[in-house]
């Protein structure tokens, strides 16, 4: 299942975890990404906590945790290759995997058709 | 709300796919294809920038000596000694020795052609006019665009349109026919690269830009790369690295104040803040502008506070501009810090999002300048 936030994050349910990244639309808008600051593995986050900082050549942007839960894995390949977020935002450019107690939190987010409508 | 002004190249920027943003009251392209590729294109080939938002002025009077004398009462550089056809960097100072604006001034015959920052131009013009003696007049040039062609292949590109481009040295200024019209061309710029700034009548700006962009090595470059290029080159951005509270000595711009204008020189002082700046030339002020290299990968931008070490309570300064340097492939920054920590190689800490991260004071420019001396 793939869901989208209005802040241009995608959430993909893989087994009992939720993988989070940003959409191609967001990556294009941000421009060339040169640094990604990831959360600590094991960190417990509350929805809307600042989770990731993305630095493009132009500016810094905050990515908020879309759900409450625990960060169980982060994509450390972004430390050496932040450009993966531009090259493959919805695949190899993922940020982190969360374990979430209440999967119903996902219900409020957009499906792909609704997200595509949002970005026009 | 006031609508932003448009430069004579606005329609071209849109046609070229430029992403338009408001900057200093003008609608200008922040990028076309992207900051990173545009930055690298300028460092390796030639980039064309629209800098028509900057203020262009001509100061004229009964003689060059009269014009120079008037301007030297506001600007602490050697203007009287400027040879015809030569350009020099300078700044307007205030009574506290701070920098009202930084600028380029060129001698063209008996007059001086000045290029000032867009955000300061109205105030600069009013200030200069208020201090000019009878007979010396400042005219704002509002019917010309200003283009910058920058990069190692800029000479080849401009010489295709007029071979006279080759004979110019860094900071030379000549009149040159380009695209069928007389342009005022200087061999200078603000990227750390060789290149030219071209003042062209507004109606001919687009044909000239198109003629340059038709050349294989020339690409349009937006404001984003203009900023990253000047940052890597260690050049100050007014309103960020320098402002009306920064003296030229704190800013590390004393090279621009020639001996003749310093204490003991034949035309020492005589400009606003001369006592303060003169004293600082002998006894350096407590702050200094330095280059900083963050040790890690995280870019550090304006406002980030600098500390002597990981535990210090009181900051010793702050970053005035910073970001990722596409040519050096790492974050770079400038900071105003306590002069006691300003020696290159000094290890300091910067506080980024609540964490103290190591940074090292570094000599500037971060990329070697590529001027044709």
């Amino acid at each position: 299942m793939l869901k989208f936030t209005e802040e241009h994050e995608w959430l993909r349910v893989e087994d009992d975890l939720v993988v989070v990244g940003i959409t191609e639309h967001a990556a294009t808008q941000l421009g060339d990404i040169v640094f990604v600051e990831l959360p600590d593995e094991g960190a417990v986050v509350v929805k809307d906590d600042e989770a990731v900082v993305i630095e493009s050549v132009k500016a810094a942007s905050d990515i908020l945790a879309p759900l409450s839960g625990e960060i169980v894995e982060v994509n450390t390949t972004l430390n050496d290759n932040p450009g993966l977020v531009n090259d493959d935002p919805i695949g190899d450019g993922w940020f982190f995997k969360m374990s979430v107690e209440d999967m119903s939190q996902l219900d409020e987010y957009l499906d792909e058709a609704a997200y595509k409508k949002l970005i026009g | 709300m006031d609508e932003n002004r448009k430069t004579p190249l606005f329609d071209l920027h849109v046609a070229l796919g430029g992403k338009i943003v408001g900057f200093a009251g003008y609608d200008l392209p922040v990028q076309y294809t992207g900051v990173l590729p545009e930055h690298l294109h300028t460092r390796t080939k030639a980039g064309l920038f629209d800098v028509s938002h900057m203020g262009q002025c001509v100061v004229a009077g009964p003689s060059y000596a009269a014009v120079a004398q008037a301007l030297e009462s506001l600007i602490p550089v050697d203007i009287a000694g400027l040879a015809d056809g030569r350009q020099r960097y300078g700044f307007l100072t205030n009574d506290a020795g701070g920098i009202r604006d930084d600028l380029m001034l060129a001698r063209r015959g008996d007059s001086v052609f000045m290029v000032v920052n867009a955000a300061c131009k109205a105030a600069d013009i009013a200030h200069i006019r208020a201090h000019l003696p009878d007979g010396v007049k400042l005219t704002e040039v509002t019917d010309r665009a200003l283009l910058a062609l920058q990069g190692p292949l800029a000479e080849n590109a401009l010489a295709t349109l007029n071979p006279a481009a080759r004979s110019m040295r860094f900071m030379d200024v000549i009149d040159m026919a380009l695209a069928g019209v007389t342009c005022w061309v200087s061999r200078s710029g603000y990227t750390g690269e060789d290149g030219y700034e071209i003042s062209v009548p507004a109606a001919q700006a687009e044909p000239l830009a198109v003629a340059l962009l038709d050349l294989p090595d020339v690409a349009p470059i937006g404001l984003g790369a203009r900023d990253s290029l000047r940052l890597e080159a260690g050049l100050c951005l007014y309103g960020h690295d320098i402002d009306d509270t920064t003296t030229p000595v704190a800013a590390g711009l004393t090279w621009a104040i020639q001996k003749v204008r310093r204490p003991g020189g034949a035309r020492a002082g005589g400009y606003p803040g001369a006592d303060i700046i003169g004293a600082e030339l002998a006894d350096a002020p407590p702050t200094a502008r330095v280059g900083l290299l963050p040790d890690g990968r995280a870019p550090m931008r304006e406002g980030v506070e600098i500390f002597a070490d990981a535990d210090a309570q009181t900051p010793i300064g702050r970053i005035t501009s910073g970001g990722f340097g596409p040519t050096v492939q790492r974050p770079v920054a400038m900071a105003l810090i306590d002069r006691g920590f300003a020696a290159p190689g000094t290890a300091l800490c910067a506080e980024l999002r609540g964490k103290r991260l190591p940074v090292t004071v570094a000599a500037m420019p971060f990329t070697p300048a590529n001027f044709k001396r």
Side-chain angles (χ1 to χ4, degrees):
Chain A
M1 183 171 64
L2 194 59
K3 287 281 201 176
F4 296 86
T5 74
E6 291 185 4
E7 282 74 44
H8 310 288
E9 293 154 276
W10 55 260
L11 299 83
R12 186 168 55 231
V13 178
E14 285 184 5
D15 303 323
D16 54 346
L17 298 179
V18 179
V19 190
V20 178
I22 58 168
T23 65
E24 188 171 354
H25 173 78
T28 303
Q29 292 296 312
L30 289 168
D32 292 292
I33 292 165
V34 296
F35 177 75
V36 180
E37 185 170 296
L38 295 163
D40 294 331
E41 287 180 1
V44 174
V45 294
V46 176
K47 180 175 180 287
D48 293 339
D49 279 356
E50 184 183 288
V52 174
V53 178
I54 302 175
E55 296 264 4
S56 73
V57 182
K58 284 181 275 184
S61 311
D62 294 331
I63 300 297
L64 306 181
L67 308 166
S68 298
E70 183 184 344
I71 307 287
V72 296
E73 187 181 346
V74 299
N75 185 4
T76 52
T77 59
L78 297 182
N79 292 335
D80 293 324
N81 192 0
L84 277 178
V85 180
N86 292 114
D87 297 340
D88 189 11
I90 213 144
D92 291 342
W94 62 279
F95 292 151
F96 56 83
K97 298 180 182 179
M98 304 179 72
S99 73
V100 177
E101 272 188 24
D102 176 12
M103 282 285 191
S104 73
Q105 294 181 79
L106 282 157
D107 295 346
E108 67 172 286
Y109 290 123
L110 309 170
D111 61 18
E112 190 159 5
Y115 179 70
K116 281 193 169 154
K117 199 173 165 192
L118 174 77
I119 60 174
Chain B
M1 233 178 77
D2 290 347
E3 198 158 298
N4 282 330
R5 299 168 71 180
K6 292 173 171 45
T7 73
L9 293 180
F10 179 78
D11 291 345
L12 182 63
H13 299 317
V14 173
L16 292 168
K19 184 177 169 190
I20 305 296
V21 299
F23 180 79
Y26 285 80
D27 279 332
L28 285 164
V30 66
Q31 64 171 56
Y32 301 88
T33 57
V35 176
L36 203 65
E38 290 169 29
H39 177 113
L40 297 173
H41 184 94
T42 306
R43 286 261 185 266
T44 53
K45 294 183 176 176
L48 184 69
F49 303 73
D50 180 10
V51 290
S52 304
H53 57 300
M54 299 188 80
Q56 303 182 61
C57 318
V58 172
V59 182
S63 65
Y64 183 72
V67 170
Q69 187 181 7
L71 289 175
E72 284 194 358
S73 74
L74 300 171
I75 298 169
V77 310
D78 178 10
I79 303 171
L82 193 58
D84 193 8
R86 292 288 293 163
Q87 178 173 272
R88 190 159 267 175
Y89 175 78
F91 24 78
L92 293 160
T93 53
N94 62 29
D95 290 339
I99 300 172
R100 294 180 66 104
D101 194 9
D102 65 337
L103 49 86
M104 284 288 187
L105 42 94
R107 178 171 176 184
R108 301 180 70 253
D110 283 345
S111 63
V112 167
F113 173 60
M114 296 174 38
V115 177
V116 303
N117 282 299
C120 300
K121 66 182 173 185
D124 289 349
I125 290 167
H127 170 70
I128 295 169
R129 280 187 177 145
H131 291 85
L132 290 178
D134 286 347
V136 179
K137 291 266 182 290
L138 181 149
T139 307
E140 185 178 4
V141 179
T142 54
D143 57 355
R144 300 178 82 92
L146 192 65
L147 309 186
L149 182 69
Q150 301 280 293
L153 299 184
E155 180 187 90
N156 279 339
L158 198 62
T160 309
L161 303 191
N162 189 328
R166 291 199 193 282
S167 62
M168 299 175 73
R169 287 178 303 133
F170 184 57
M171 292 294 209
D172 276 353
V173 182
I174 64 171
D175 285 1
M176 194 190 287
L178 292 169
V181 65
T182 302
C183 298
W184 306 341
V185 179
S186 71
R187 193 156 195 166
S188 64
Y190 219 61
T191 60
E193 295 299 324
D194 181 25
Y196 304 85
E197 291 198 347
I198 306 165
S199 176
V200 52
Q204 278 78 34
E206 185 169 321
L208 175 59
V210 168
L212 289 166
L213 291 169
D214 277 346
L215 300 171
D217 295 316
V218 181
I221 310 295
L223 291 172
R226 181 168 162 81
D227 189 50
S228 57
L229 288 158
R230 71 91 204 159
L231 174 64
E232 276 186 345
L235 299 168
C236 292
L237 178 60
Y238 192 81
H240 300 265
D241 307 302
I242 51 175
D243 62 23
D244 56 8
T245 67
T246 325
T247 66
V249 187
L253 299 174
T254 53
W255 56 268
I257 306 176
Q258 287 77 23
K259 268 196 180 141
V260 69
R261 301 302 312 277
R262 297 185 183 204
R267 296 194 312 285
Y271 57 88
D275 291 353
I276 292 164
I277 293 169
E280 286 190 352
L281 284 165
D283 186 10
T287 56
R289 180 175 65 98
V290 295
L292 286 182
L293 288 173
D295 293 12
R297 300 295 299 170
M300 297 182 182
R301 300 182 195 272
E302 182 174 7
V304 168
E305 290 190 316
I306 306 299
F307 295 83
D309 57 51
D311 304 313
Q313 294 291 308
T314 311
I316 57 160
R318 65 184 172 82
I319 288 178
T320 52
S321 59
F324 183 78
T327 299
V328 295
Q329 282 290 304
R330 61 177 300 167
V332 294
M334 287 184 211
L336 277 174
I337 64 169
D338 185 323
R339 186 170 293 271
F341 299 92
T346 305
L348 301 171
C349 282
E351 191 164 301
L352 190 68
R353 297 184 279 272
K355 285 184 205 151
R356 296 276 172 101
L357 301 175
V359 297
T360 305
V361 178
M364 290 188 287
F366 300 110
T367 48
N370 189 21
F371 304 134
K372 184 165 175 184
R373 304 269 183 196

